[in-house]
Amino acid sequence: MVQQIQVTGQKDTRSGFGDGIFELGKSNPNVVALTADLAGSLKLNAFIKSFPDRFIQCGIAEANMMGIAAGLTIGGKIPFTTTFANFSTGRVYDQIRQSIAYSGKNVKICASHAGLTLGEDGATHQILEDIGMMKMLPGMTVIVPCDYNQTKAATLAVAEHQGPVYLRFGRPVWPIFTNPDEKFVIGKAQYFNEGTDVSIFACGHMVWTAIEATRELEKEGIKVDLLNIHTIKPLDTPAVLQSLQKTGCAVTVEEHNVIGGLGDSIAHAASKNLPVPIEMIGTNDTFGESGKPTDLLIKYGLDKEHIIAAVKKVLKRKK
Amino acid sequence: MAELTEIASQIRRDIVRMVHGCQSGHPGGSLGCADFFTALYFKVMKHNPEFQMDGAGEDLFFLSNGHISPVFYSALARAGYFNISELATFRKINSRLQGHPTTHEHLPGIRVASGSLGQGMSVAIGAALAKKLNNDDRLVYSLHGDGELDEGQNWEAAMFAAHHKVDNLISTVDWNGQQIDGTTKEVMSLGNIRAKFEAFGWKTIETDGNDMDKLLASLDEAKSLSGKGKPVGIMMHTVMGKGVDFMENNHNWHGVAPNDEQLKSALSQLKETLGDY
């Protein structure tokens, strides 16, 4: 079935967010958008033009933005904070922890430019630890959609969800391959291929890379069970275990440090329920650097070839 | 007026008894702000002890310096938000009265967690903006420690409130000149706090937070200044530990509990007016 997946266009996932929140502006009068001087980068222009009264410019003051978002929920608003992933998480961890997560506030933390694919700006901006930080917070939902369509659908879905959400997306133009009409279900893993030799669990931009790797592996006769784990928390543990039951080994793929990310969540679920060999593709306890996104992904081992190698390695370990 | 000062006296008794009861907590700032809480919860604010989180049609209060939770809890209990007997559970296991205020245990009257300093003004601004979006013309009050102003987020919030004309916000600074490690002058000079807020574009008032007449007059004035395009700041001089002679003006009582003998001495100075819990 991976052979049937078609690329229908090329767009950045952040545009999926921008188009999603514009839809929400029309359908939900309680939705409010906040930014810390990055409205253009987060594609808020259409929302701002149509709903100026529900747009709040906070200036370059992310801590204050998080607190204001928490306060807005008290009056029944659904605030969406927008800035880069680094400034959405590490910079404001304590504000999120106390004023949002511990206080149980219905804030949607929308984070663009996550990971290595931010590119030329380099390591100061390429956060690779955000999934870990956010998933450790009690009550926080963590979502990493894989393409433009899915990011748009996820944006609509999080507005319906009661409670704090971390929604992570990115900067680069990337293949669109999911169905634009598919409703996003929080916490429900998405199948892209069924197979019995090895499970691949991927999230975000890496889902497409995993699809490409799967196509090559299938040509070699290796049957891959490929799942998009777009919701890191709550993890779809039944789907993960069902896949591992079939395959008996796994490769995880993410644009994030392997410490604290998707791979860590999968390994946690497996070790408690069904211990199997697992290889992890991600950055390995390192910062990124400046460069073109695709060059960086290759240098840091987040490309098709590395996934294929990891699959072959884990298959050997299984035997 | 006599009645308000009597309520404040009872709240002060509650504070020292609560802190003594668990041998932990922050009596100094709590005692200093007892008059302010009394004024807000028994005179100034329109509020409903049948607590609703959204506070639609009500004035809202946010405590940013959450460590003075004893005065907050006592004022809420005495105002009818929950039974005063619950004050005895302060800082003990399985209590809704956590060391620092939280919504996590669903204690009526608390709208956000605070304790990690410098976050309350931002939250109060958000609540004030929601009131504007909802065409709710009631006000949002907040309280901040002076030492707490060391935290930069306050100044992000102060700048925002002026820029966005958040004129339904009345933020009060408890200007007692003390913080944990010493006086604010020694630890981190705040300079002229009032001038700083004015420079940020706020309308400001200076008052004596331990003189009920002056405090009420200032809160009235603050209300009359609201709705005019600027956030309103009240620079409130208080005496840390007010009402208990050996605690007054002494930063060592920021976060220390009295022993049995000290409790006895403190209670002898504070009239029991509404009945102890």
Side-chain angles (χ1 to χ4, degrees):
Chain A
M1 77 199 253
V2 77
Q3 310 302 343
Q4 277 87 56
I5 296 169
Q6 287 194 350
V7 173
T8 55
Q10 303 274 339
K11 258 187 190 176
D12 43 2
T13 50
R14 58 184 164 142
S15 285
F17 167 72
D19 291 346
I21 197 164
F22 178 56
E23 291 295 317
L24 282 173
K26 289 185 273 190
S27 63
N28 191 332
N30 283 323
V31 167
V32 177
L34 298 89
T35 196
D37 199 26
L38 285 171
S41 294
L42 271 287
K43 305 293 179 187
L44 286 176
N45 298 344
F47 183 95
I48 295 169
K49 197 174 171 202
S50 295
F51 314 105
D53 295 343
R54 288 191 275 140
F55 166 69
I56 300 172
Q57 175 58 266
C58 296
I60 312 163
E62 296 82 7
N64 186 44
M65 174 168 73
M66 292 301 167
I68 288 172
L72 281 161
T73 66
I74 293 167
K77 302 300 158 197
I78 307 172
F80 284 64
T81 66
T82 70
T83 179
F84 292 169
N86 187 32
F87 315 135
S88 293
T89 55
R91 192 179 176 94
V92 290
Y93 195 70
D94 189 46
Q95 283 77 16
I96 295 174
R97 183 176 180 274
Q98 173 172 285
S99 294
I100 296 174
Y102 185 43
S103 294
K105 298 304 182 200
N106 192 25
V107 175
K108 314 307 168 186
I109 301 162
C110 303
S112 182
H113 293 57
L116 291 172
T117 52
L118 166 138
E120 293 81 349
D121 277 346
T124 54
H125 289 49
Q126 288 161 338
I127 196 159
L128 296 162
E129 310 89 45
D130 53 325
I131 293 173
M133 280 189 280
M134 290 298 109
K135 81 177 186 184
M136 279 201 296
L137 287 170
M140 182 67 73
T141 294
V142 179
I143 297 173
V144 188
C146 65
D147 71 353
Y148 165 89
N149 285 341
Q150 190 161 73
T151 307
K152 185 176 174 184
T155 303
L156 300 177
V158 301
E160 301 295 321
H161 171 84
Q162 180 66 36
V165 174
Y166 179 60
L167 180 62
R168 182 200 212 228
F169 41 88
R171 175 177 185 236
V173 168
W174 208 253
I176 303 174
F177 54 93
T178 64
N179 183 340
D181 303 321
E182 189 165 335
K183 194 170 157 43
F184 187 88
V185 182
I186 295 172
K188 185 83 185 145
Q190 182 182 23
Y191 257 95
F192 279 109
N193 200 53
E194 293 196 35
T196 49
D197 293 330
V198 60
S199 302
I200 297 181
F201 302 110
C203 67
H205 293 133
M206 292 299 103
V207 173
W208 174 249
T209 315
I211 288 170
E212 289 190 305
T214 298
R215 283 177 173 166
E216 300 224 351
L217 288 162
E218 296 263 313
K219 280 183 208 158
E220 295 181 36
I222 298 168
K223 297 185 176 64
V224 177
D225 214 38
L226 173 59
L227 281 86
N228 171 18
I229 308 293
H230 54 59
T231 307
I232 312 292
K233 186 185 170 189
L235 185 70
D236 189 350
T237 306
V240 170
L241 296 179
Q242 198 181 27
S243 176
L244 292 178
Q245 195 86 51
K246 268 196 300 188
T247 62
C249 67
V251 171
T252 63
V253 196
E254 62 193 308
E255 195 185 344
H256 186 273
N257 194 345
V258 293
I259 301 173
L262 168 67
D264 180 276
S265 288
I266 298 288
H268 181 88
S271 68
K272 278 173 65 175
N273 301 284
L274 190 64
V276 296
I278 296 174
E279 290 293 324
M280 296 182 189
I281 297 282
T283 55
N284 287 289
D285 200 16
T286 183
F287 293 105
E289 66 178 80
S290 293
K292 290 198 186 313
T294 45
D295 293 343
L296 289 168
L297 291 173
I298 292 167
K299 176 167 178 178
Y300 286 83
L302 277 71
D303 59 341
K304 186 174 64 177
E305 279 66 33
H306 280 86
I307 297 173
I308 291 168
V311 165
K312 291 181 176 171
K313 188 175 174 193
V314 85
L315 283 170
K316 273 187 196 149
R317 288 178 60 201
K318 188 167 74 159
K319 282 163 190 168
Chain B
M1 197 62 54
E3 201 200 335
L4 287 180
T5 53
E6 282 179 1
I7 294 168
S9 179
Q10 185 66 52
I11 288 176
R12 287 191 162 92
R13 282 182 72 89
D14 290 348
I15 291 165
V16 291
R17 292 185 69 234
M18 287 164 75
V19 173
H20 173 264
C22 60
Q23 283 298 297
S24 111
H26 299 78
S30 296
L31 289 167
C33 290
D35 303 299
F36 176 75
F37 276 82
T38 303
L40 277 190
Y41 277 90
F42 293 89
K43 177 88 176 169
V44 175
M45 290 201 305
K46 182 192 174 197
H47 66 106
N48 185 1
E50 299 296 317
F51 179 68
Q52 295 292 323
M53 178 56 80
D54 67 7
E58 295 180 58
D59 295 321
L60 306 182
F61 171 73
F62 292 94
L63 178 66
S64 188
N65 47 332
H67 57 275
I68 67 166
S69 56
V71 64
F72 196 9
Y73 294 149
S74 170
L76 288 172
R78 296 287 171 185
Y81 280 80
F82 53 88
N83 198 298
I84 57 168
S85 63
E86 201 169 341
L87 295 176
T89 70
F90 175 59
R91 280 186 174 240
K92 293 176 182 168
I93 196 160
N94 299 324
S95 174
R96 296 195 294 179
L97 280 61
Q98 291 289 297
H100 296 82
T102 173
T103 55
H104 204 67
E105 316 297 332
H106 306 291
L107 185 70
I110 310 293
R111 291 193 163 86
V112 76
S114 62
S116 176
L117 294 172
Q119 301 186 27
M121 195 183 292
S122 305
V123 177
I125 289 169
L129 290 174
K131 282 211 177 288
K132 282 178 181 276
L133 285 166
N134 292 337
N135 297 313
D136 178 344
D137 62 3
R138 301 309 304 189
L139 299 171
V140 174
Y141 294 85
S142 63
L143 180 65
H144 313 267
D146 52 357
E148 187 187 9
L149 298 180
D150 295 355
E151 294 280 6
Q153 188 181 343
N154 289 297
W155 304 104
E156 293 182 6
M159 199 184 308
F160 179 103
H163 176 85
H164 285 283
K165 300 183 170 57
V166 186
D167 58 5
N168 54 345
L169 174 72
I170 299 176
S171 293
T172 299
V173 176
D174 176 20
W175 200 347
N176 63 19
Q178 310 285 338
Q179 54 194 110
I180 298 182
D181 278 352
T183 65
T184 53
K185 275 200 177 72
E186 290 163 346
V187 177
M188 187 53 61
S189 297
L190 292 160
N192 187 334
I193 298 175
R194 183 175 186 182
K196 283 187 164 72
F197 274 92
E198 287 277 347
F200 271 75
W202 287 49
K203 194 76 196 162
T204 65
I205 297 168
E206 203 161 332
T207 192
D208 181 344
N210 295 130
D211 179 318
M212 191 59 81
D213 290 320
K214 287 182 185 162
L215 184 54
L216 289 174
S218 297
L219 286 163
D220 265 351
E221 188 186 351
K223 264 193 208 182
S224 70
L225 290 170
S226 68
K228 292 181 176 154
K230 287 185 174 189
V232 181
I234 301 178
M235 308 301 129
M236 181 175 78
H237 295 279
T238 68
V239 171
M240 179 181 258
K242 179 72 183 178
V244 178
D245 56 9
F246 59 88
M247 291 187 184
E248 287 187 1
N249 280 318
N250 184 348
H251 70 85
N252 292 317
W253 285 99
H254 168 90
V256 174
N259 61 29
D260 293 350
E261 206 171 305
Q262 288 163 333
L263 173 71
K264 207 173 153 193
S265 166
L267 292 178
S268 74
Q269 302 170 44
L270 300 166
K271 201 171 143 203
E272 182 180 352
T273 52
L274 305 175
D276 288 339
Y277 62 82

